[in-house]
């Protein structure tokens, strides 16, 4: 199963889980995580279902290719990291 890690920046707003899912692509994996933790969706995706501008996802060490369709393929043992960009000084 692919393992989704939601980084600690999100913990300021809600309980951030790590989620194991059986999914062929990133969109399906995120949908499975959001089904279990609905509030998480609004922090990761915008109103059109695309990745928010301040969110980056890495799959097995490489940045996801597509921010709208989120159709990057996952392997059964993929490690997916969902990060919010940090700003400030």
């Amino acid at each position: 199963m692919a393992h989704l890690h939601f980084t600690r920046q999100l913990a300021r707003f809600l309980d951030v889980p790590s989620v194991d899912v059986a999914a062929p692509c990133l969109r399906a994996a995120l949908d499975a995580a959001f089904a279990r933790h609905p509030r998480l969706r609004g922090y990761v995706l915008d109103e059109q279902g695309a990745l928010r501008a301040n969110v980056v996802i890495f799959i097995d060490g490489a940045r996801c290719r597509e921010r709208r369709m989120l159709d990057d393929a996952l392997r059964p043992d993929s490690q997916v990291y969902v990060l919010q960009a940090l700003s400030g000084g």
Side-chain angles (χ1 to χ4, degrees):
M1 292 185 133
H3 191 74
L4 279 68
H5 307 270
F6 295 89
T7 58
R8 306 251 338 131
Q9 293 92 348
L10 289 169
R12 294 179 305 176
F13 308 110
L14 65 154
D15 185 29
V16 181
S18 288
V19 180
D20 290 320
V21 296
C25 69
L26 180 57
R27 171 72 69 184
L30 289 173
D31 287 345
F34 300 150
R36 296 179 200 169
H37 306 280
R39 288 187 51 218
L40 194 55
R41 186 181 205 289
Y43 289 99
V44 177
L45 303 180
D46 65 18
E47 293 76 19
Q48 289 78 39
L51 203 57
R52 288 195 175 278
N54 66 327
V55 175
V56 175
I57 296 180
F58 287 89
I59 302 167
D60 300 322
R63 193 171 182 164
C64 74
R65 296 177 293 106
E66 214 288 315
R67 298 180 62 84
R68 185 169 307 281
M69 296 298 294
L70 300 169
D71 59 359
D72 297 77
L74 298 180
R75 297 187 329 253
D77 63 343
S78 283
Q79 297 292 313
V80 179
Y81 290 86
V82 181
L83 305 104
Q84 280 192 313
L86 299 176
S87 62

